[in-house]
Amino acid sequence: QVQLVESGGGSVQAGGSLRLSCTASTRSHNTHSMGWFRQAPGKEREGVAAIDDDGSTSYGDSVKGRFTISKDNAKTTVYLQMDNLQPEDTAMYYCAGDPVSSRAFLKLRRTHSWGQGTQVTVSS
């Protein structure tokens, strides 16, 4: 079982930036795609961004142009650079891994691996 450990959440004012990191305990076909989902209280879970081992990326419509996902050369750590954060970005952010492509990743209702989550809070 792949374990995912997130870090980098916190509190920031609107317009600010944060960078989230997620490291997988091992690289396998189950981490072919890694990415982020988020969930705010009372709202449905939302796919944020994903990247696969081929370097292809996918973004949710609400974060396009503001968030950037990347993966390290070892392909075990994924980063989410979040710029121009807005109060509506406030949520618990979860890292996930799965064998599917990045295009399919954000549509998944369940993923092979799931992190413990890191809180992002944006104040106005």
Side-chain angles (χ1 to χ4, degrees), residues 20-92:
L20 306 183
S21 299
C22 172
T23 299
S25 57
T26 185
R27 182 186 172 193
S28 73
H29 70 283
N30 292 321
T31 58
H32 174 71
S33 281
M34 292 177 67
W36 299 87
F37 292 86
R38 68 184 182 186
Q39 188 163 22
K43 294 187 177 181
E44 292 189 357
R45 192 180 74 176
E46 177 186 13
V48 177
I51 185 169
D52 60 34
D53 282 345
D54 299 323
S56 296
T57 59
S58 183
Y59 294 94
D61 289 340
S62 63
V63 305
K64 284 180 181 176
R66 299 187 298 123
F67 291 11
T68 304
I69 192 168
S70 60
K71 218 172 190 182
D72 71 342
N73 289 335
K75 299 181 179 179
T76 57
T77 298
V78 62
Y79 304 98
L80 184 67
Q81 178 66 40
M82 306 185 293
D83 296 320
N84 191 22
L85 283 161
Q86 300 300 315
E88 52 266 34
D89 295 315
T90 295
M92 185 70 80

